[in-house]
Amino acid sequence: METTTTTTTTTTTVRLNHKPFPLFLLTLFLGLASTTFSQSSGSLRGKVLFESHEGHDVGPGHADHEPEYESLPGAYVRWSRDASHVEVTDGFGFFKISGGILGDTLLVSMVGYQTAGLVYTGQSYVDIPLEPGVELGEAEVSAKKSATSISLLDPLNIQSLNRKELAKAACCNLSEAFETNASVDASFTDAVTGTRQIRMLGLDGKYSQIQVDNLPGPRGLNVIQGLMFIPGDWVNEIHISKGAGTVTQGYESMTGQINVALKNPETADPLHLNIYTNSGGRLEYNHVSKHAINRRWSTAILGHALMNNTLNDRNEDGFLDNPLKRNFIVRNEWKFLGDRGIRGEYAVNYAQTESAGGQTLSFGSAADWPAIRDMMTTPDSSWSAITNIDRLEFTAKTGFVFPNAEWRSIGTQWSFSDHQHRQRFGESRYTGKERFFRGNVLYSDIFGNTNHAFTAGMSFVSDEFDETVQQPDTIRGDYDRHEIIPGGFFEYTWRHAERLSVVAGLRYDHHNMFGGIWSPRLHARWSATENTSIKVAAGRGFRTANPFVEQQGAWASQRTWTGLDAVYESLQPEIATNVGVNLTSKFRLNFRDASLALDAYSTWFENKLVVDFDQSVNELQLYNLVGESFARSLQAEFNWDMHRRWDMRLAYRWVDAHTSRMNGKPSRDPYVSTHRAFSQWSYATATEESGAQWRGDATVQWVGSMRLPLTGNNPEVFQRDEYSPDFLQVNLQITRQFSSALSIYLGVENLLNYKQDQPIVGAEYGDNSVTQSEFDAVFDASMIYGPIFGRMSYVGLRWGIPSPSAK
């Protein structure tokens, strides 16, 4: 059962031909736990399907390709002994029917299909494919395709966003993919680099485990910048899980998991191109295509290029509002489909980025990239920030499902990356290199019956860092380390009847620097009613801090890093425990689908690396936690399909985040708004036979006041208020779909043109002149709480060859 939110109406034409097809559905998965269902007495859930003949590309040898299935809404389900009790499958093909007696026959029928019969032996869930019956020519089926969904049956609190949701905003990369989502915040790290970071449950994104296709995603030295290495057009779905995740995916999840499912040889369109440009001078090109090599092998090629050579200084403070930038990212993924239960996914990624920001005097009247590259080692007298990143990554997943035992599987997951980061901010320099390897082996099976399932496995992590820091008049030297972490885990899934399910896991990791660490996790779901579920979660996780890259904004200032030697000499892991509860209910309001989700989560740290901006305006102090650190979050989200053309989403979130700081400084965490309200509205016209359609999307977000670092020691003209003002942001987008292959979209971000007043401490505003000595003493571009550029307009074009099933 799914609770669905924002939706758009689409029409699918299904040709019903008489053709024999098998009455079984083989469930395949790669290295993940088997999906299990509980047994119940007298009540049966299931899904009705039909064979789709418009699946993958057809290439040499594809005549024997395994059939693909789609859900069949509107099918009739009843027991043979009771013709008066009839259920109808919902828009996703699911049904639930009670009154079953052992030995009775379940009858499933649909116009144009042969009636199927299934003897009831006490099952709790079944998949029933129907064979086409008499030739009926064409039948047109209209259904709602949800842009977001929340499962009422999964014990984990997971919200899924698909392509339709991501297309509601420009979504140029992952850091910009949450503009229409209330659970994840995105903000800038500073006023110079244009780098965005995310927050979840009141804490920085580094405490949320980000994965790509269930493999390690942005982390380590790539934890902040890595978000922009995932272009939005590459994304097929995003799954946001609140609370500590499952133990099978590692030990780093504290506040949640974000799994990004990229387009691959199965889910990508044959060809998709996207061209985007905005009023800030940013130009992007994205390419996604898939190719069938033979019946076993297929591949997908994904490309991304970005360029911004425009010098912008709208607030006339002498600094670029947006950095100059050049990105090139490419990915090639291969998929293997064996005949004997073997599946494989293998990919290689390469990313290269250059960016430059700072005072406009550094760049003259136009971007000169050879000169900019020289500035990495030979800066001029103006303040500038230059960053170069090169990253190479390999991943491999191989899985085997045992014949005649779909619940039993074994899988392996391998990841390797080589990351090199160089930057110069003013006279401060940083060079970081990381070589990361993780191997994961998983085995899934059941105890006796499908009510009791488990996944067990082992992992091995090797993470090698080589970091060098240099600040004015001080050479900090190398900060090297090599982390080696073997680990093991066990996860048990229990399902009782249809109302209760529990996932309990435990993992043990032995860190070569910190010793052994246990990470227990628990997720439970109870269905209070058929359309209301209550979920609880509790779990513990740990990670190693990487302050040089995690505090990107601190480099854009004159602050000197202090406490580094003491921290690295006695480096400790960051350890946190998270507990939470969620209530989600699906109902009808004015005869239209609606849902309400209520969340309450609390995270507290046993240890944390405190990055203190408050002790001095000239220093950034680092020290291990002394005292307490916690974040509490409450959220309410309401979704309503208010009209067949209109959808709406309303949300409110309250956050209380504190960290004990030395010398009695304020404990409230900076840059975290206590109150935030969110509203999203979508409109879509009827889809014409050609696929033409108009769509409109509006997002309104109110951001409450947040604490800022103390600046009382600065001269009065360079002091800032202790709290930021609240502000309102409005984003609009209109999309004209000319056909299933071509669309144009245009939009405005920050329609009300709100801009943070004097975002850079030490910059010249109006008649206020700043001497070089004053600039050197007070410069700070990290105190960012709101937009800098103001109103941003954009336009883009999407063109391609859609999959037949999407037409």
Side-chain angles (χ1 to χ4, degrees), residues 298-456:
S298 57
T299 186
I301 299 173
L302 299 84
H304 167 84
L306 178 151
M307 180 176 64
N308 189 349
N309 290 335
T310 304
L311 304 177
N312 290 299
D313 184 14
R314 288 188 176 184
N315 58 5
E316 298 181 349
D317 61 358
F319 282 78
L320 293 179
D321 296 332
N322 298 318
L324 307 175
K325 186 169 289 189
R326 298 177 69 172
N327 290 355
F328 173 73
I329 311 171
V330 65
R331 174 182 174 89
N332 183 210
E333 179 173 344
W334 289 79
K335 207 171 259 289
F336 175 77
L337 188 66
D339 295 329
R340 299 172 182 257
I342 298 179
R343 303 292 184 268
E345 299 175 15
Y346 313 98
V348 57
N349 272 58
Y350 174 72
Q352 198 277 333
T353 179
E354 301 175 283
S355 66
Q359 291 181 309
T360 55
L361 293 176
S362 300
F363 307 102
S365 59
D368 182 350
W369 282 102
I372 290 174
R373 295 186 187 102
D374 291 340
M375 290 170 60
M376 177 68 78
T377 54
T378 56
D380 59 13
S381 58
S382 301
W383 195 95
S384 59
I386 314 297
T387 302
N388 293 337
I389 298 176
D390 287 274
R391 180 177 177 84
L392 182 64
E393 185 173 359
F394 299 93
T395 63
K397 295 194 292 186
T398 304
F400 173 72
V401 179
F402 288 76
N404 303 318
E406 294 85 356
W407 58 83
R408 181 179 300 126
S409 68
I410 187 169
T412 61
Q413 302 173 337
W414 312 99
S415 299
F416 171 80
S417 62
D418 182 272
H419 184 91
Q420 300 190 38
H421 182 133
R422 290 198 307 151
Q423 68 180 37
R424 180 192 57 76
F425 282 55
E427 296 183 27
S428 299
R429 290 175 169 81
Y430 168 79
T431 300
K433 299 178 182 179
E434 179 186 12
R435 286 197 170 187
F436 171 78
F437 170 82
R438 192 197 78 158
N440 217 23
V441 179
L442 307 97
Y443 174 76
S444 298
D445 207 335
I446 62 175
F447 291 121
N449 58 59
T450 55
N451 288 340
H452 307 274
F454 71 90
T455 299

Side-chain angles (χ1 to χ4, degrees), residues 70 156 199 355 471 581 586 591 622 656 700:
E70 295 185 12
L156 277 72
R199 287 190 177 92
S355 66
Q471 291 194 290
V581 61
K586 174 184 176 182
F591 305 103
L622 280 72
D656 185 33
V700 181

